[in-house]
Amino acid sequence: MYIRIRRRRFGQLVLSGAATAVLANLPRRAYAQSESQLYGVQVAKKEVATDAPNKTPDTVFVVADTVTGKETSRISVPSRQVSNLQTDTKLDSVEIDNAQVDNTDASRGVPGKSVLTRTRERITSLTPLTDGTLAVVSVVNTPRGNFTRVAQINPKTGENLGATRISGFETNSSTLESLVATKDNNLIGIASFSDGLPPFKLIGIDLKGGKANNAERLALPTLFPNRRYSNLVLGRDNVIYGTSIGSEGSVVLIKIDLNDRAAITGRAKVTTVVELQLDNKDLENDILSLAISPGGQIYALADPASKGTNSLFIVDEKSGAIRFVRDFQVDKIAFAIA
């Protein structure tokens, strides 16, 4: 079934709970189900399990239609033990005091403004993989260090197909803050050296082996040490997009083209696409997640005014304007690969 949206027309839909969806400047084209079906994920429970380093959190998958603005399903995904279970007694059962879920993303606010020390569970990335599954990256912060796990979810059924814990980071406080799969099946991530705070580094991820590596063969670019980088997503042009924010507070859309390399170093370059704005004003906080539809439309999940309610926005790649679509209370968003 196809639904045609006219260019430069605004459609307003009244949703349950008095939520309103505004569809602005969508391309004039036919939308199939895979084009309009957006996935969101959030942590389901407030408690953090004592065996969290070796176990993914319980999550909720939400499916929404970007054309109608309606949520079409909500699926509970139980936690799952990682396949590469660690037997070290220091890691088998980590003492969790005052354990709770903290859904406040480390991207909010100015980098380095505050250090989050409370034990917490958070989702840092929702990423479509080339095999059609969705990868959910979750990080648990504990008194003995930070632990990153990746679960592979079937987007059609919500089934947790397996989970892996990622090791090999440079420090015990390092975390995987974003993940993207290229068309040639390379996994590239952004690692934070300090639980979501700068400095950041682009790394390769071996999901089967559960290892982080420098991926020198990919010749990844070096990132500025005083900026936050996050929200990696693959565009239709096989170029990686993301966001960056500095101490001045402005949020910019960036891109990394692995085929466009510096003449001297041979490394890929990070270039600025546009500064993001809402109502002609700079964003006060970094966005929480990016997603690019199969048709090439960029969407953002954000809470620009720090109201505690996340919302979905359409991103204009040329002007940098983000436009409200609807409230969408999830932690991360993604489109699946058909």
Side-chain angles (χ1 to χ4, degrees), residues 180 182 188 232-235 238-242 254-256 258:
V180 65
T182 63
I188 298 173
L232 297 182
V233 63
L234 190 69
N238 205 30
V239 172
I240 298 171
Y241 290 80
I254 62 170
K255 67 178 180 179
I256 304 170
L258 298 179

Side-chain angles (χ1 to χ4, degrees), residues 41-45 57-61 75-79 123 136 153:
V41 65
Q42 61 186 144
V43 178
K45 295 181 179 180
D58 291 286
T59 56
V60 175
F61 256 77
I75 306 170
S76 295
V77 182
S79 63
I123 295 174
V136 180
I153 308 297

